[in-house]
Amino acid sequence: DAGVIQSPRHEVTEMGQEVTLRCKPISGHDYLFWYRQTMMRGLELLIYFNNNVPIDDSGMPEDRFSAKMPNASFSTLKIQPSEPRDSAVYFCASRSQEGSGNTIYFGEGSWLTVV
Amino acid sequence: KNQVEQSPQSLIILEGKNCTLQCNYTVSPFSNLRWYKQDTGRGPVSLTIMTFSENTKSNGRYTATLDADTKQSSLHITASQLSDSASYICVVSPNYGGATNKLIFGTGTLLAVQP
């Protein structure tokens, strides 16, 4: 399996621009997670989906952030408008339904810099 | 507030030596405790997962221990290699109110193995 695939790997954008991050989870996985990692706060859960349905978005910082999962093999995280404080690494992760202890597999991350 | 604290923040050891990383948590009740390895510029990769009833779990040269009474876990690395240089993150999964999927991450221990 190719693992969790994220794109773009790196993005530099100007403040105010729209940013769209993309994720393809591992085939057959029922859960998809979006995390943000910064030096100050470490890894934080933004939102997660189960069977394409958003379950908990309490970690989404504000209305500028939105996430969708139109089908089992694709999800997007959108920031509009972007701000410099959004600069971080955004990880997508997935796991299967069976058992709460199952391994969560992370993608390689999307490194976002907002200038 | 549920927290996961790790120590030391950083560690330098010589190749071939052993080391032990510590994790203290206040999450209660919890479902499982995980250790992840994160290489620079990459996504976290799972090393071990332990339920609250398990005391130890090994993965090659990595051995994790868990004391649920004292709410402490450790990750022991045997015969370190240069490739062990990475950040090691302790992660706890709560077991209450649908929070099982809302993992709580420590800020990690940055390990540098020198030749």
Side-chain angles (χ1 to χ4, degrees):
Chain A
D1 199 313
V4 177
I5 300 173
Q6 293 187 244
S7 65
R9 285 298 314 277
H10 300 271
E11 175 144 352
V12 180
T13 190
E14 291 185 346
M15 182 173 63
Q17 296 298 306
E18 178 179 292
V19 173
T20 299
L21 308 179
R22 298 172 178 80
C23 175
K24 176 179 168 54
I26 293 173
S27 177
H29 280 190
D30 306 280
Y31 285 88
L32 182 140
F33 306 85
W34 282 101
Y35 292 94
R36 179 171 66 178
Q37 186 175 39
T38 61
M39 288 292 292
M40 291 296 294
R41 300 172 69 90
L43 275 158
E44 300 174 292
L45 176 67
L46 299 176
I47 184 172
Y48 78 91
F49 296 82
N50 180 214
N51 292 324
N52 313 338
V53 177
I55 302 301
D56 191 316
D57 65 354
S58 59
M60 296 285 261
E62 48 199 271
D63 292 345
R64 297 185 297 106
F65 285 70
S66 62
K68 294 181 179 180
M69 191 166 186
N71 57 63
S73 60
F74 183 67
S75 177
T76 60
L77 178 67
K78 187 174 294 186
I79 308 172
Q80 167 63 24
S82 58
E83 296 181 3
R85 60 191 167 122
D86 301 331
S87 298
V89 185
Y90 291 82
F91 287 102
C92 178
S94 70
R95 75 164 178 87
S96 66
Q97 177 85 8
E98 298 176 3
S100 63
N102 269 10
T103 299
I104 295 177
Y105 296 87
F106 285 79
E108 296 289 41
S110 291
W111 295 67
L112 174 65
T113 302
V114 183
V115 298
Chain B
K1 180 180 177 182
N2 287 323
Q3 287 188 323
V4 178
E5 296 183 350
Q6 295 186 241
S7 62
Q9 281 191 322
S10 62
L11 181 64
I12 301 174
I13 63 173
L14 293 177
E15 186 178 12
K17 298 297 186 182
N18 303 336
C19 68
T20 300
L21 314 179
Q22 300 292 340
C23 173
N24 295 332
Y25 60 93
T26 59
V27 182
S28 182
F30 78 99
S31 175
N32 54 68
L33 185 146
R34 311 161 189 247
W35 282 93
Y36 277 83
K37 177 188 179 188
Q38 185 174 20
D39 292 317
T40 301
R42 308 293 297 273
V45 174
S46 179
L47 294 176
T48 62
I49 300 175
M50 291 181 290
T51 67
F52 62 89
S53 61
E54 294 180 288
N55 299 120
T56 186
K57 184 70 70 77
S58 290
N59 178 0
R61 295 180 296 102
Y62 300 101
T63 299
T65 63
L66 173 63
D67 186 334
D69 292 332
T70 61
K71 295 184 171 56
Q72 295 180 325
S73 177
S74 65
L75 181 69
H76 186 73
I77 304 175
T78 305
S80 61
Q81 301 176 358
L82 297 178
S83 60
D84 292 332
S85 296
S87 180
Y88 291 83
I89 305 172
C90 177
V91 187
V92 179
S93 175
N95 187 22
Y96 56 81
T100 304
N101 284 299
K102 301 179 72 172
L103 303 183
I104 301 173
F105 293 80
T107 53
T109 292
L110 185 60
L111 174 66
V113 180
Q114 294 184 342

